[in-house]
Amino acid sequence: MGNWDKIYAVERMQNYIKVHVNEFIQLEDIVKESGYSKRHAMRIFRDLLGKTPLEYVRAIQLTESAKVLLKKSENVLDTALDFGYDTHEGFTRAFSNEFGLTPKKYQHKKPPIKYFVQYPISHYYSYLNNKENDNMKQEKLTKICTVTIIKRPKRKLMLMRAKKAVDYWSFCEEKGCDWEGLFNSIECKMDNVAIMKLPENLIVAGTTYCAAGIEIPHDYSGKVIDDCEIIDLEECDMMFFQSETFENDSDFWTAIDEVNKAIRTYNPKQYGYRFALDLAPQFNYGASKEIGAKQAIPVQKI
């Protein structure tokens, strides 16, 4: 395992950035949160996250500016000023370096781009810790998990298949981390990107049942992300399992465990349904403090 003192120091810096990202952030204020010297704080931040603190801030701000340009007919210069850039040229240069196209072109064509996604660093190390201790007795889960049935219309699925991965983290190890931001940058998606367990009839030779993807309207005619394909999904009911929200990042895995337990123990027959795992993928949307953990399972009336 990694050094948890360093992991939590980096996460404190991440949390400071998250809270103050819409303000003028000085490097000294970020590294102060770590409890280490400036030199050491910057080194462990880069070692664990692959960016310097200021590169990390810039990636977040440019992603947020892209979301504004995507949803509003906002003047590019006004957006530049809102996100701390003094000139149109400086913002355009930074935006182009980050995403490979100008903000004006992005606003006009709205292609998928690599939104920067903030991952609390402790989540990954907690995952490794859970793997090491998965045979230990689990704390009894007593929190509420809500269950809702939503009818999905005929739609398309844009998916990226795995050749070896079987879950979220092994998918990231195989495909890198850019896929989450890419999928979530597609404006017309029906929900956020999910890690999916594909039914047998959707698995192709040389791949596993694991994939990442989004549901999109059946008439979608936009760009297909590299290394992805689009397939049709028929109309079906999806049963959504969602945990309570949580306040602490350390409760991330507890929320996921709550949903997994609910799925294992829930009996849909008492409400006239059965799990119909051949109709569509199972969607795992992960977890966040704002919405809790969420998964969706295809079901059918009996």
Side-chain angles (χ1 to χ4, degrees):
M1 286 299 297
N3 184 319
W4 280 97
D5 288 339
K6 293 180 181 178
I7 292 166
Y8 288 135
V10 171
E11 190 156 296
R12 287 194 297 273
M13 289 189 277
Q14 283 184 292
N15 290 338
Y16 180 87
I17 292 169
K18 186 174 182 179
V19 171
H20 298 281
V21 72
N22 292 325
E23 306 169 14
F24 176 70
I25 298 181
Q26 293 186 308
L27 178 60
E28 289 71 18
D29 294 327
I30 298 173
V31 300
K32 188 186 300 182
E33 294 294 312
S34 71
Y36 291 108
S37 69
K38 179 179 178 180
R39 181 179 178 184
H40 188 59
M42 291 182 65
R43 183 171 70 249
I44 62 174
F45 193 98
R46 188 179 183 90
D47 286 347
L48 293 185
L49 297 176
K51 295 180 183 290
T52 69
L54 292 183
E55 287 172 343
Y56 188 92
V57 171
R58 183 165 63 250
I60 296 171
Q61 291 175 333
L62 288 169
T63 291
E64 293 304 311
S65 73
K67 292 177 181 178
V68 170
L69 293 171
L70 182 68
K71 295 183 177 180
K72 297 180 181 179
S73 299
E74 192 80 8
N75 181 279
V76 172
L77 178 58
D78 290 341
T79 303
L81 296 173
D82 288 342
F83 287 91
Y85 289 85
D86 295 330
T87 65
H88 184 290
E89 291 74 17
F91 176 64
T92 296
R93 184 167 53 251
F95 194 98
S96 299
N97 288 339
E98 185 74 15
F99 300 122
L101 76 173
T102 66
K104 195 68 177 177
K105 186 174 181 179
Y106 175 65
Q107 192 175 38
H108 176 64
K109 295 193 173 182
K110 301 181 179 180
I113 61 174
K114 295 178 181 179
Y115 281 0
F116 179 70
V117 181
Q118 302 175 66
Y119 302 96
I121 190 62
S122 67
H123 287 185
Y124 177 64
Y125 288 95
S126 295
Y127 160 76
L128 296 179
N129 189 54
N130 282 356
K131 285 186 68 176
E132 291 175 0
N133 298 287
D134 60 2
N135 292 322
M136 296 177 63
K137 184 177 179 181
Q138 295 287 322
E139 180 183 354
K140 186 177 180 181
L141 300 173
T142 58
K143 293 187 177 181
I144 295 172
C145 182
T146 59
V147 180
T148 307
I149 296 175
I150 296 176
K151 182 174 288 294
R152 285 289 204 229
K154 187 173 182 179
R155 65 235 185 258
K156 292 184 183 294
L157 177 69
M158 188 185 299
L159 76 162
M160 180 183 293
R161 298 180 184 274
K163 293 182 178 179
K164 296 180 179 179
V166 295
D167 60 17
Y168 175 87
W169 292 111
S170 57
F171 192 90
C172 288
E173 289 168 359
E174 179 179 330
K175 296 292 187 178
C177 297
D178 290 337
W179 57 270
E180 189 166 352
L182 270 169
F183 279 114
N184 280 333
S185 74
I186 296 178
E187 186 179 18
C188 65
K189 63 185 183 297
M190 299 171 72
D191 209 321
N192 285 335
V193 63
I195 285 290
M196 300 176 292
K197 184 174 182 179
L198 300 174
E200 188 173 344
N201 64 307
L202 293 183
I203 300 173
V204 300
T207 66
T208 69
Y209 58 77
C210 183
I214 51 170
E215 296 168 288
I216 50 180
H218 195 261
D219 61 355
Y220 180 80
S221 60
K223 183 178 178 180
V224 180
I225 294 171
D226 291 344
D227 196 26
C228 291
E229 62 187 271
I230 291 182
I231 60 176
D232 289 330
L233 291 179
E234 296 299 322
E235 175 183 309
C236 73
D237 292 330
M238 299 294 295
M239 184 173 285
F240 283 76
F241 293 79
Q242 187 161 351
S243 77
E244 294 179 280
T245 59
F246 51 94
E247 294 184 1
N248 301 313
D249 282 321
S250 58
D251 292 328
F252 174 83
W253 287 106
T254 301
I256 290 176
D257 285 342
E258 289 169 10
V259 171
N260 287 333
K261 180 182 178 182
I263 292 171
R264 289 194 307 270
T265 59
Y266 190 79
N267 179 11
K269 291 182 180 179
Q270 62 185 320
Y271 296 107
Y273 285 88
R274 70 172 183 88
F275 290 136
L277 304 182
D278 57 326
L279 295 183
Q282 301 174 55
F283 294 85
N284 185 340
Y285 300 96
S288 68
K289 291 192 289 187
E290 295 79 14
I291 65 172
K294 187 174 74 170
Q295 295 189 39
I297 310 291
V299 293
Q300 190 174 52
K301 287 186 177 181
I302 55 176

